[in-house]
Amino acid sequence: MKILQYGNEYLDSVLEGNPESLAYLFYTRIAKWNEPLVSEDECTYGLFNDVEESIKPYIAFDLIPAALDILHSCKKPSEIDCALWLLLGLVESTETTEVPPALKSSIQHINEIAKASGESQINTVKSISEYYRNG
């Protein structure tokens, strides 16, 4: 899991809920690998698996606005794809079906971003919506 070493210096701070560290981690990782999934050594994993596996649910919930800020700052489809996967990972890590207010208020804009970016992004937004419907 070589890609996960990039930005690792921000991981502890992210796990403590620091939104700036989440942004630094995101931009450091996508500078090295700008796809949400990584395949290496006969293994496939997400670009932010280490965050998803270690973060406490309430901290994931609190970081969703920061993930939305990251998403809104992205311009390229590949960046948007990675930002949506980060958002999805945090949503799933919350372990709750309570929709964070920041997400609720921006879901229409997120759908517009996804539609303008491509099928992969549309599917990720569908997965976010389905999480709340099925949870």
Side-chain angles (χ1 to χ4, degrees), residues 107-123:
I107 196 68
Q108 183 175 350
H109 186 237
I110 294 169
N111 279 315
E112 292 168 6
I113 290 170
K115 286 178 185 173
S117 298
E119 190 67 29
S120 173
Q121 293 83 349
I122 291 168
N123 289 334

Side-chain angles (χ1 to χ4, degrees), residues 7-68:
N8 205 29
E9 64 271 22
Y10 304 111
L11 185 59
D12 287 341
S13 185
V14 168
L15 298 177
E16 292 170 0
N18 185 306
E20 292 83 16
S21 293
L22 182 65
Y24 289 135
L25 176 70
F26 177 82
Y27 290 112
T28 301
R29 294 246 172 110
I30 68 166
K32 299 294 182 181
W33 188 265
N34 63 354
E35 294 181 26
L37 295 175
V38 180
S39 293
E40 63 182 21
D41 301 326
E42 298 181 25
C43 176
T44 300
Y45 56 91
L47 193 56
F48 304 102
N49 266 22
D50 51 349
V51 173
E52 296 164 19
E53 292 173 357
S54 302
I55 198 163
K56 293 181 173 119
Y58 71 93
I59 292 176
F61 189 93
D62 289 346
L63 284 175
I64 287 177
L68 289 167

